[in-house]
Amino acid sequence: MKPQVAFFDFTSCEGCQLTVVDSLQTHLDLLDMVEIVQFREAMSERGEDYAVAFIEGSITRESDEARLKEIRERAAVLVALGACAHIGGVNAIKNLAPLHDVRKYVYGERAEWFATYAARPISAVVKVDAFIPGCPIDREEFIRVVNALLRGIKPPIPDYPMCVECKLKENVCLFDKGGDCLGAITRAGCGAICPTYGDGCEGCRGLIPNPNRDSMQSVLAARGLTPQDVMARMTMFGSYEISKA
Amino acid sequence: MAQNLHIDIHHITRVEGHGNIVVNAKNGVLEECRLDIVETPRFFEALLRGRPYTEASHITSRICGICAVGHATASLRATEHALGVALSEQTRLLRDLIFFGEMLDSHVLHTYMLIAPDFFGVGSVIPLAQVAANAVLRALRVKKLAGDLCAVIGGRHTHPIAMTVGGFTHLPTVEEIKALRERLILARKDMDDTITLFKTLPWPRFKRETEYIALSKPNEYAFIDGAITSTDGGSWDVTDYKTITNEHLVQHSSSKHTKHKREAYMVGALARFNVNYNFLHPKAKAAAQELGMKPVCTNPYFNSAAQIVEMVHSVEGAITVCDELIARGIKPEKPYTFSGKGGAGVGACEVPRGTLYHDYEIGDDGRIVNANCIIPTGQNLANIEADMRALVPQILDQGQDKVTLALEMLVRAYDPCISCSVHFLSVKFV
């Protein structure tokens, strides 16, 4: 029997699940390896027996916790799919401001109609067995992780900084071109796609183990960024980490 | 005759985001008919406050995995209007090209992978691959072309990298454009086969007179910029968008509803088809004729047919832009630098699901002071419910299962992007 897998989403843009669908363009054989039993965005079938659950999205209201815990109980392996599930994603930017202000700004006097709390990665609610970083995920990395999970080995997620991949691509460093970038403290695995296309790393794949954040901040300050600009750079994807501290 | 009906579809499938359909009829009288939007709110407008203007297009592209290029473009247009940034012809052409790519990508996803399974009586594209393998392979091929096109211009489709205020941080080579053009030419055959397939499918018959709203331009089928135009008559500058959208909160939806002159209006491919038919590429007009539609078409199920017409238009439009870029060559351009003077501006685009507005106020420190965005799906919600109220009494005697399927297909026809629609709700400028 093929391993049964299911996809679920919480607060997200569903772009990582779309990337999974897009991975079929070049890896149609994926469907020979696994049986997808639930994938609401793409399928009407709803099977409740699954060994592997992929979760996209962060948790932003209490009522979503029960659903996530139920999935955790059913799944032997639970995988965080993408930055929202892995590190809170851009949803967590709202954690930097008082929640009451955020709610009132969007819903006005009716703020109480719509429940919300500070955005959290799924690991804040349940045990997570593996994660696929990125906003969005890299489709080749998704295939590599599925391959590893099927063989029962640890998913090959790099723990070195993105700068390594950028150097291997022989890109001219953005700092040498007048720009700035978080590549020195951000987990590799994306092939340095943002610097390759001329834009500094936004940190969507999360921090490497033992990042030297102080040094990163001084480098950004030396580049001419104001403390407010440095904070903005560090918080597009790092807000949960920072608001937790 | 089934005069009593209770339908409660929890988390309708094959749509983007979380919505429930609730219908109750007793003794042949419709008592309740709602599309509940239960998506978690994401507060994007609040997220933008205080952030550097350069981040806006990158943050807002994260609203939607399907129309990330559309959000980035509307965001950039709002910022460019606010800061008075002029665009080069090369930037306009490259934006047009990536926009055609996203339109093609989104429409092929919707028509083949989300809509077609209903016509074949299967639950998803996976069993569809058993009964219509060639169709699924064609869809994957066209989607790959569309995604590759977006990647050549923007680095990737879902959350484009190189699109920035005033231009691009990375430019494609002429060789890359030539290679895309060759594949677009080959895609013409896939478009012909798409029309052949969909024209034979059993499209539901239902009509309801509706106000259609889309951006329009004097000489082209508008996708980026234009004047807001209604099939009820009238044309407005995009800065007057609030007089059209009139957002209001309803308790059963975390996305606001909108209305113009009637109880509701529709945006999207069918609205664009009805407003801008004259500017479609001749091949797209021919596709419409084969699919049996002409303006004004008031069958909402035909929104998906209008998407097929727009797929043909987008392939032809992309070929024309490639030809222009190849003839002009690609030249490096000086990046925009901030003048130190802020301002306010509105950007509007026809993204795959309809008219999208981004409205920003930027301070002299280059930070966003206020933001407001109105999403196509939010504008369509009231109209979907109006269609449901008109449709259910007509088919009430067909029984629970058929009514349920007809309603699911109706909601899907609108191609709703629910996680988009709740992420941007109205903001009161204070």
Side-chain angles (χ1 to χ4, degrees), chain B residues 194-213:
Chain B
T194 299
I195 297 159
T196 306
L197 170 69
F198 279 88
K199 76 177 181 186
T200 62
L201 299 179
W203 293 86
R205 299 287 153 187
F206 166 69
K207 283 181 181 174
R208 189 179 68 83
E209 209 197 309
T210 300
E211 178 181 11
Y212 298 94
I213 290 179

Side-chain angles (χ1 to χ4, degrees), chain B residues 275-286:
Chain B
V275 171
N276 294 318
Y277 173 82
N278 288 340
F279 302 114
L280 280 168
H281 189 278
K283 285 193 177 187
K285 283 182 184 167

Side-chain angles (χ1 to χ4, degrees), chain A residues 123-156:
Chain A
S123 60
V125 178
V126 293
K127 180 176 164 282
V128 175
D129 302 303
F131 60 90
I132 304 177
C135 180
I137 57 164
D138 179 276
R139 67 176 85 160
E140 294 304 322
E141 189 169 63
F142 169 74
I143 297 292
R144 284 196 296 274
V145 170
V146 171
N147 247 316
L149 291 173
L150 290 176
R151 292 166 198 211
I153 57 175
K154 193 169 169 274

Side-chain angles (χ1 to χ4, degrees), chain B residues 302-368:
Chain B
F302 268 60
N303 188 52
S304 311
Q307 290 180 330
I308 293 168
V309 171
E310 289 193 338
M311 282 163 62
V312 175
H313 180 83
S314 295
V315 167
E316 296 304 325
I319 291 170
T320 306
V321 174
C322 285
D323 285 339
E324 280 189 57
L325 286 167
I326 292 163
R328 294 167 53 93
I330 304 278
K331 297 172 190 71
E333 292 180 337
K334 224 174 143 221
Y336 165 75
T337 46
F338 183 54
S339 68
K341 180 91 186 75
V346 177
C349 293
E350 284 294 331
V351 295
R353 286 152 198 80
T355 321
L356 167 66
Y357 306 96
H358 281 222
D359 178 0
Y360 301 159
E361 183 189 336
I362 300 170
D364 291 342
D365 59 355
R367 287 173 183 275
I368 294 168

Side-chain angles (χ1 to χ4, degrees), chain B residues 170-189:
Chain B
H170 176 275
L171 293 169
T173 63
V174 171
E175 285 63 40
E176 286 173 318
I177 302 285
K178 283 181 180 166
L180 281 177
R181 186 186 180 282
E182 274 181 36
R183 290 172 64 190
L184 285 160
I185 298 284
L186 294 175
R188 282 174 167 159
K189 167 86 168 61

Side-chain angles (χ1 to χ4, degrees), chain A residues 160-241:
Chain A
Y160 47 84
M162 196 216 65
C163 285
V164 173
E165 289 178 333
C166 205
K167 294 282 171 288
L168 283 170
K169 281 207 154 175
E170 302 186 355
N171 289 334
V172 174
C173 181
L174 278 173
F175 281 95
D176 289 333
K177 295 205 285 191
D180 62 86
C181 182
L182 291 182
I185 56 169
T186 303
R187 191 183 290 277
C190 56
I193 188 169
C194 289
T196 302
Y197 282 88
D199 193 38
C201 171
E202 297 170 336
C204 72
R205 295 174 57 86
L207 297 167
I208 47 166
N210 304 312
N212 192 341
R213 268 194 283 195
D214 291 346
S215 179
M216 183 79 250
Q217 288 181 13
S218 355
V219 169
L220 291 171
R223 155 67 50 217
L225 269 68
T226 64
Q228 226 185 345
D229 289 338
V230 172
M231 184 67 177
R233 248 300 179 217
M234 307 284 286
T235 55
M236 195 191 285
F237 286 93
S239 288
Y240 175 75
E241 192 71 27

Side-chain angles (χ1 to χ4, degrees), chain B residues 69 73 76 87-102 149-155 160 162-164 166-174 176-178 180 224 317-318 320-326 328-333:
Chain B
V69 167
T73 307
L76 292 171
L87 298 183
S88 71
E89 186 60 16
Q90 176 174 289
T91 292
R92 286 181 197 284
L93 287 168
L94 289 170
R95 286 211 185 144
D96 284 348
L97 186 54
I98 194 169
F99 219 90
F100 284 131
E102 175 161 283
L149 190 166
C150 292
V152 164
I153 313 296
M163 300 176 76
T164 191
F168 290 84
T169 58
H170 176 275
L171 293 169
T173 63
V174 171
E176 286 173 318
I177 302 285
K178 283 181 180 166
L180 281 177
I224 304 173
T320 306
V321 174
C322 285
D323 285 339
E324 280 189 57
L325 286 167
I326 292 163
R328 294 167 53 93
I330 304 278
K331 297 172 190 71
E333 292 180 337

